Amino acid sequence: EAAQYYYDQRIGILPSSSPCLPPPLLAATTISSKSIEHLKEEATEPSTTMKRFLSSALLLAPAAVRSLHLSGNSASGAGPSAASTRARFLSASAATFLTSAAVMAAEPGKCEAAGPASASQANPRYIEEELQMKFGEDSKGNPRTRGVLVRRFTGDSTPYSFPVKPVRLVSTWPETPPFKPEDFFRADSGNDVNFYTVPRLVYHIDEPAVCSLTQYYRNNIKPRSDILDICSSWVSHYPLEFPKTMGKICATGMNSLEMQFNDQLTGGFKQKDLNDDAKLPYPDSSFDVVTCVVSIDYLVNPVEVLKEVNRVLRPGGKVIISQSNRCFPSKAIAMWLKMNDRQHLELINGFLQYAGGFEERKAFDISADLPDGGYRDPMFIIEAVKKA
């Protein structure tokens, strides 16, 4: 009822030439409760609070929207088009409705990531599903669960282009590491396990950055490779076909619940705090590729971790370290926060040099290009091959 009213009042009046509904800015959040009458009231003239509510809430309490039935079935699609009918809109998932409507209400002209899917790509742009999270048991021992609606970026069927631009690494590192203990200081030096206890089923980089990384993996990881994703979570950003075309895909990460939802980990996962113990729980020469996505800035012993990466790689195998410009400032090491994107690449190159056992590193700017030239998170790669 609320969805229908909001459509009539705020979206039904948009001209047919308006941009299509943008993707959600958040993948999941907690349940919010609003009465239908209040939703109707706000729909006519939405306040700042309402806009924030609509942009963040992906779940509605049953009492708030009785007619939106969330069955728990997963759905996939390439994103709604500008000409979507009222009926199609109302039948869309609550996740798509809430986040898209909010962005349009707040900034209808900023729809940089929206666009029709490419007819040449068979994969959907998004996959939406409900994940069941167990958070305890009742007095009779029955599990208590809560469903969380999430939207995964597949990296396909987007309007983006994905140039790969080499970046020259020019810094000369001394024979002895020049780092000081304070370089690895963090504002929050507390237990990392506590910090990551609550699952974050969200993306920490925007859709264009995710897609550029997915396309890079597709073009630079050979079929039947055995892959390890360190500092992993509920997504690894691999192409949809990887579970079928690759060998085993394993992962280590801080939160086991997040990794349980990662359906690309065909070889399983192991919960591991690399800041507490840098040793990777795998035998020597176990993998062809190791990936690390926007996480090396959180490691307090990055050189030791990269030595372990070298150990578990087979000769000729490679590590792909990706980095953007986003982070949890309280958990990133001090010297990282004082550097720009270019300096970050030089620093990672230094870490790899001191880890030893790698050939000369290569760096790339793989940031996606948007059709309208709008802003997107940058994405950079440093790739290092283990010496034979």
Side-chain angles (χ1 to χ4, degrees), residues 36-271:
I36 290 176
E37 290 305 315
H38 185 59
L39 280 170
K40 287 183 176 181
E41 214 174 87
E42 289 276 14
T44 307
E45 290 295 334
S47 63
T48 300
T49 301
M50 182 60 175
K51 291 172 186 174
R52 289 175 181 170
F53 162 69
L54 286 168
S55 65
S56 64
L58 294 183
L59 296 177
L60 291 177
V65 181
R66 297 180 178 86
S67 63
L68 282 180
H69 175 61
L70 304 182
S71 64
N73 295 329
S74 64
S76 63
S81 68
S84 291
T85 64
R86 180 173 181 273
R88 286 177 61 193
F89 176 88
L90 294 176
S91 66
S93 72
T96 305
F97 162 69
L98 286 169
T99 52
S100 300
V103 175
M104 291 187 73
E107 297 180 301
K110 296 185 178 180
C111 198
E112 62 188 30
S118 170
S120 64
Q121 294 176 302
N123 290 335
R125 183 173 177 179
Y126 309 118
I127 295 178
E128 296 170 352
E129 57 190 324
E130 181 178 356
L131 305 178
Q132 292 294 329
M133 298 175 62
K134 178 181 176 181
F135 59 93
E137 297 179 348
D138 62 19
S139 58
K140 297 181 180 180
N142 298 316
R144 301 179 64 188
T145 62
R146 171 173 292 176
V148 179
L149 287 174
V150 298
R151 169 180 275 191
R152 300 178 190 263
F153 301 147
T154 69
D156 294 321
S157 299
T158 71
Y160 316 132
S161 58
F162 306 101
V164 177
K165 306 171 186 176
V167 177
R168 186 183 176 195
L169 299 170
V170 297
S171 293
T172 301
W173 291 92
E175 185 175 344
T176 303
F179 310 125
K180 301 176 181 179
E182 53 265 32
D183 291 333
F184 298 96
F185 171 81
R186 298 180 299 165
D188 178 4
S189 58
N191 190 301
D192 289 330
V193 173
N194 294 336
F195 183 82
Y196 293 102
T197 295
V198 178
R200 294 177 173 87
L201 303 181
V202 300
Y203 283 92
H204 300 288
I205 47 178
D206 65 12
E207 186 189 9
V210 170
C211 296
S212 66
L213 185 57
T214 299
Q215 297 301 326
Y216 186 86
Y217 285 155
R218 176 176 282 139
N219 295 326
N220 291 276
I221 298 180
K222 296 179 181 179
R224 296 181 293 281
S225 293
D226 292 328
I227 306 173
L228 172 63
D229 188 29
I230 64 171
C231 306
S232 190
S233 67
W234 71 292
V235 288
S236 291
H237 312 302
Y238 300 137
L240 288 180
E241 70 272 13
F242 265 31
K244 295 180 179 179
T245 61
M246 296 296 153
K248 63 186 177 186
I249 301 179
C250 304
T252 67
M254 294 292 298
N255 191 297
S256 60
L257 184 56
E258 285 188 16
M259 290 186 289
Q260 286 178 21
F261 295 138
N262 190 331
D263 57 8
Q264 294 188 312
L265 304 182
T266 58
F269 63 86
K270 297 182 181 180
Q271 184 174 359

